[in-house]
Amino acid sequence: MPLTCRLIRGMPRTTVLASSLLPCQQKQSQLTHIIYRPGSRRPSHMWLSQQQSRGFQTSSALGSYILTPPQVNSILKANEYSFKVPEFDGKNVSSVMGFESNQLPANAPIEDRRSAATCLQTQGMLLGVFDGHAGCACAQALSERLFYYIAVSLLPHDTLCELEAAVEAGRALSPILQWHKHPNDYFNREAQNLYFNSLRTYWQELIDLTSPGEVPDTREALLSAFKRLDQDISLEAQVGDSNAYLHYWVLRVAFSGATACVAHVDGSDLFIANAGDARAVLGVQEEDGSFSALTLSNDHSAQNEDEVSRIRSEHPPSERKTVIRQDRLLGLLMPFRAFGDVKFKWSIELQKRVLESGPDQLHENEHTKFIPPNYHTPPYLTAEPEITYHKLRPQDRFIVIGSDGLWETLHRQEVVRIVGEYLTGVHQRQPLKVGGYRVTLGQMQALLEERKARVSSAFEDQNSATHLMRHAVGNNEFGTVDHERLSKMLSLPEELARMYRDDITIIIAQFNPHVIGTQRQEGQP
């Protein structure tokens, strides 16, 4: 998700790209200046090529190197992960049967992150996608920290007191989260003490603000967790650290940014907390077996009129024409809500003071050098999430949480159809469409044969997120996966990959309709 001045990092060819989930501080960057077409993530001079590449003959701009199917599968499956909720006495008592996730980089290193965990104190499940920009540092910090803030916010007063007493006495703490992590999902070990101290300060304040026997409200807990973590990211950067590495790290986290879309599922209660333009969509199975999409989050961008009105109302009338320009915040940032991005939150004086006292390496980062134009009444950006609630029904079969790299390539209804067919094993035959293209009878026959073959092999992926990703990258204008196109997209060199697509991160959680139906009948919350 770029600023106007986009970071494009040097990286190996895409055969290595798919596994490049290395900690972002281990990679050095090279700067290339590209002016982006308003409303697009790709540069305008590449826009025509992108559209042409979806013609009946795949554009030669995608290169000529063809990967074999095993090579394609190796790239697509490199970061897939799945988790099945355990059963008790042969029965699954959770409304979530399990989830599957995957990531496909376009940036190097990838700027998206994902997290999944079970709240051990409440039994709720947390699923989150974090889309970074101006580097991956902020998204990395969110992937490690946000769920702890949410879990602590959900704890009752007495449990918080027990946590604090254990720390005071030097006893081992009862676990708060059970993480479900892919081996490539990096943890910043050097920052764990810093993160813990900030979290402890937060729960100490929660103890003072709550009363014995008080039950936290989930909506307020999510809201508080998002806002408090963003405040801590800002404060840590201002205070700095005596450890040179940590000082540099907290500044990198604060000066980069990330959007966040988090689902909390507990019984039949589904909450979505969203800040930015990642998206959560529910897959609903209709009576005829088909699937429909129910969007559970709103994008916080220029396409959202309520967001545009909100931002303009928070600044003087004199800034009405400058606060949003070319569909970007101050003409630079596409998401209107995000963590970090202190260049859109701090005063100019604070930015200069922090940078002057910061390490020399920070001055090599292009994003710290500029002051946004027409910067008069900060903050312009917030990490406050928009919270939506949905009471799960038996027909609600799954949820897809994806970074905007997914939704840029596939419509939400198409996403739900692909996932629904995969999970049920039932392929809904659609009329063969060729759009406005002129095709010969031979080409039509080839399309029909391809479609027939696709039906028999459509479910060869063992992971629904991988299956969806295959479609997101390889779909042609006829709605089928074109292996040649998929191969070329996955073999693009680093200077072209980010021009054609964004990082893609997907989490798909499948619900248990029997448990949900029983809970609704019993009137459980």
Side-chain angles (χ1 to χ4, degrees):
M1 183 185 306
L3 294 167
T4 303
C5 190
R6 180 69 207 175
L7 278 173
I8 298 182
R9 292 173 170 79
M11 61 185 179
R13 294 189 69 86
T14 314
T15 50
V16 180
L17 178 72
S19 60
S20 61
L21 289 176
L22 297 173
C24 54
Q25 62 268 33
Q26 293 182 3
K27 294 289 186 85
Q28 297 298 319
S29 65
Q30 297 177 342
L31 288 171
T32 302
H33 299 280
I34 298 172
I35 302 299
Y36 276 75
R37 175 182 182 272
S40 169
R41 297 293 167 97
R42 257 71 64 181
S44 57
H45 70 274
M46 292 301 298
W47 185 252
L48 183 60
S49 296
Q50 183 192 14
Q51 298 303 310
Q52 290 173 337
S53 71
R54 287 186 172 271
F56 188 74
Q57 296 295 329
T58 305
S59 169
S60 59
L62 291 181
S64 57
Y65 179 59
I66 302 297
L67 301 173
T68 66
Q71 289 174 320
V72 167
N73 287 339
S74 177
I75 293 172
L76 290 178
K77 296 172 184 288
N79 300 309
E80 65 180 12
Y81 180 83
S82 62
F83 173 77
K84 183 179 180 182
V85 175
E87 296 190 34
F88 301 92
D89 299 325
K91 295 182 179 180
N92 186 330
V93 296
S94 170
S95 58
V96 180
M97 297 176 66
F99 73 88
E100 295 171 327
S101 69
N102 205 344
Q103 293 188 285
L104 184 66
N107 294 292
I110 185 172
E111 295 184 342
D112 283 4
R113 292 295 186 271
R114 59 183 166 177
S115 289
T118 300
C119 297
L120 295 176
Q121 304 288 340
T122 65
Q123 300 307 309
M125 180 171 281
L126 288 164
L127 305 164
V129 167
F130 314 104
D131 188 347
H133 47 265
C136 61
C138 189
Q140 177 62 43
L142 296 187
S143 71
E144 300 181 50
R145 305 181 69 180
L146 183 56
F147 285 7
Y148 279 116
Y149 279 69
I150 294 173
V152 164
S153 301
L154 290 168
L155 292 179
H157 177 89
D158 294 344
T159 306
L160 290 171
C161 292
E162 292 172 7
L163 277 177
E164 179 60 21
V167 176
E168 284 286 341
R171 299 194 307 268
L173 295 178
S174 299
I176 299 176
L177 295 173
Q178 177 191 356
W179 289 96
H180 310 301
K181 288 281 189 179
H182 187 282
N184 284 347
D185 292 340
Y186 172 72
F187 260 71
N188 190 333
R189 302 299 176 188
E190 295 89 343
Q192 293 308 303
N193 285 338
L194 171 69
Y195 292 170
F196 177 79
N197 291 334
S198 294
L199 182 67
R200 183 186 179 190
T201 301
Y202 178 44
W203 82 51
Q204 289 172 336
E205 294 181 15
L206 288 175
I207 291 173
D208 294 336
L209 294 171
T210 57
S211 305
E214 187 175 339
V215 179
D217 176 78
T218 303
R219 184 184 297 272
E220 290 301 317
L222 290 166
L223 188 68
S224 176
F226 270 61
K227 294 170 68 175
R228 179 52 182 258
L229 177 54
D230 193 52
Q231 291 171 11
D232 283 353
I233 288 172
S234 175
L235 182 61
E236 289 161 1
Q238 295 174 52
V239 173
D241 196 281
S242 57
N243 180 301
Y245 165 75
L246 285 180
H247 190 186
Y248 180 46
W249 175 248
V250 296
L251 287 169
R252 287 196 60 197
V253 170
F255 277 91
S256 61
T259 66
C261 186
V262 173
H264 178 265
V265 192
D266 190 1
S268 57
D269 292 327
L270 171 60
F271 285 89
I272 302 295
N274 183 55
D277 53 7
R279 192 180 299 172
V281 174
L282 195 68
V284 182
Q285 189 166 28
E286 305 296 342
E287 292 183 359
D288 63 358
S290 64
F291 286 87
S292 61
L294 176 61
T295 303
L296 297 177
S297 62
N298 296 311
D299 294 355
H300 300 130
S301 65
Q303 282 64 52
N304 184 334
E305 293 182 2
D306 290 338
E307 275 296 283
V308 172
S309 299
R310 176 187 67 81
I311 290 176
R312 285 179 172 158
S313 70
E314 293 174 353
H315 299 276
S318 59
E319 295 185 61
R320 181 175 180 82
K321 294 183 179 180
T322 59
V323 68
I324 298 173
R325 295 179 58 248
Q326 295 183 319
D327 288 343
R328 287 174 169 79
L329 189 66
L330 298 178
L332 295 173
L333 194 64
M334 288 194 73
F336 289 173
R337 302 191 194 195
F339 286 83
D341 282 320
V342 293
K343 293 201 72 67
F344 296 87
K345 297 173 181 176
W346 289 356
S347 67
I348 294 176
E349 293 74 17
L350 179 57
Q351 291 185 42
K352 290 180 177 179
R353 178 173 64 80
V354 170
L355 287 173
E356 287 173 359
S357 62
D360 293 339
Q361 303 99 301
L362 195 68
H363 298 282
E364 299 172 7
N365 187 323
E366 190 74 11
H367 297 294
T368 65
K369 294 181 179 179
F370 73 95
I371 299 296
N374 303 297
Y375 197 79
H376 307 297
T377 55
Y380 290 89
L381 190 66
T382 179
E384 180 174 329
E386 184 175 9
I387 312 290
T388 54
Y389 171 76
H390 179 78
K391 189 78 169 179
L392 288 172
R393 309 159 296 177
Q395 62 265 40
D396 299 330
R397 304 308 296 271
F398 58 88
I399 186 172
V400 180
I401 308 172
S403 59
D404 67 329
L406 170 66
W407 311 108
E408 285 177 347
T409 60
L410 291 173
H411 187 272
R412 62 180 182 275
Q413 183 57 48
E414 185 71 359
V415 166
V416 164
R417 181 190 65 80
I418 292 168
V419 175
E421 291 177 359
Y422 174 89
L423 293 177
T424 61
V426 177
H427 187 77
Q428 300 288 332
R429 286 295 187 93
Q430 304 291 329
L432 185 63
K433 297 179 181 179
V434 294
Y437 296 93
R438 298 180 63 181
V439 296
T440 66
L441 288 176
Q443 289 170 335
M444 180 65 76
Q445 176 67 22
L447 286 170
L448 291 170
E449 290 294 333
E450 177 188 346
R451 176 167 167 167
K452 181 179 179 181
R454 182 166 61 96
V455 171
S456 62
S457 63
F459 309 114
E460 62 184 9
D461 290 316
Q462 300 301 307
N463 182 299
S464 57
T466 304
H467 184 72
L468 179 57
M469 192 171 289
R470 189 183 299 273
H471 280 264
V473 180
N475 255 25
N476 59 20
E477 63 275 13
F478 307 112
T480 64
V481 175
D482 181 335
H483 173 73
E484 182 178 354
R485 174 179 173 80
L486 180 61
S487 171
K488 290 180 177 179
M489 289 292 286
L490 294 179
S491 62
L492 284 171
E494 65 274 13
E495 64 271 15
L496 287 179
R498 187 58 185 82
M499 309 297 180
Y500 282 88
R501 61 174 180 83
D502 200 352
D503 298 327
I504 299 175
T505 298
I506 300 168
I507 298 177
I508 300 172
Q510 190 172 2
F511 300 122
N512 191 326
H514 304 294
V515 171
I516 292 171
T518 300
Q519 290 175 341
R520 289 178 68 92
Q521 290 174 4
E522 295 176 352
Q524 294 184 12

